[in-house]
Amino acid sequence: MSPTTQAFVLAAGLGTRLRPLTENLPKPLVPIFQKHLITFALDHLIDAGITSFIINTHRLPQTFEQTFSTGQYRGFPVRLVNEPVLLETGGGIKNVESLLSEPFITYSGDILTDASLQPLIEEHFSRGNDVTLGLRTTKLGSAVAFHDYRVVDIANRHGIAGNYDFANIAIWNRAVFDRIPPHKKISFIPILTEWIANGGKIGGLILNQGRWFNLGSRAEYLDVHRT
């Protein structure tokens, strides 16, 4: 059994780069061969031992309510939490504090990958981390400075150049909730960089294996189907 069974799936983005596909649907609900994109994420998490889901929404929340009208997916409970005003990643995590009772995974609802999540889970618990970020080598960016199993800077806030990109998957201990101000729009980046400065154990694991698909444009959306 996985030592963590809860996931917070972030699905509140605007999906502007994928228009016109996202004019009537949020990006996580865009179909891949008639299967909603977000359900690939849920399948992936179920395979890793996750048994309950919280999904934040913003734009067109009624489409999520229709998709998960039974309050479950494959027999596992799904709780939808709407953000009328976008809270960004840090604020979004704080907003679901009352619904999470143990260390939890965050996972972007527009990710499409089959990379194994079990090593990330094992890394988090075996090293006693406060937070463990999934990292990748990509052409999109390298904002995360990672050395000797520790994340030492993000976005050059401590003057250390990054060497990896955040893979939009992470594991968090509940201690993070004490570090995020309530009802505030805030990214996780200043939360983690302050935590690093205060001695927090912010770890990481490189997830370059497996297949990763970017759906940032219509051309990339078509490429996923060809693959």
Side-chain angles (χ1 to χ4, degrees), residues 11-122:
L14 299 177
T16 54
R17 292 185 300 161
L18 208 56
R19 288 176 178 164
L21 293 168
T22 52
E23 287 182 354
N24 298 310
L25 283 175
K27 184 178 178 182
L29 295 184
V30 166
I32 307 294
F33 284 116
Q34 309 309 310
K35 178 177 167 65
H36 295 301
L37 174 58
I38 195 172
T39 63
F40 288 91
L42 301 184
D43 290 337
H44 197 197
L45 288 162
I46 289 170
D47 288 345
I50 299 302
T51 58
S52 67
F53 302 96
I54 300 163
I55 301 174
N56 71 339
T57 67
H58 171 66
R59 182 173 168 271
L60 301 171
Q62 69 278 9
T63 58
F64 286 96
E65 293 165 5
Q66 293 164 1
T67 300
F68 300 103
S69 60
T70 64
Q72 61 178 14
Y73 175 73
R74 286 178 52 189
F76 298 103
V78 173
R79 177 76 174 267
L80 301 176
V81 178
N82 185 242
E83 294 179 15
V85 176
L86 283 174
L87 296 171
E88 295 193 22
T89 49
I93 289 172
K94 181 67 174 180
N95 193 46
V96 297
E97 177 179 3
S98 64
L99 303 176
L100 293 164
S101 60
E102 61 183 50
F104 59 95
I105 294 181
T106 55
Y107 194 117
S108 290
D110 58 1
I111 288 177
L112 190 57
T113 181
D114 61 0
S116 176
L117 299 181
Q118 200 58 45
L120 182 69
I121 295 170
E122 292 172 359

Side-chain angles (χ1 to χ4, degrees), residues 115-130:
S116 176
L117 299 181
Q118 200 58 45
L120 182 69
I121 295 170
E122 292 172 359
E123 179 73 8
H124 180 79
F125 289 96
S126 66
R127 295 195 184 277
N129 291 339
D130 294 309

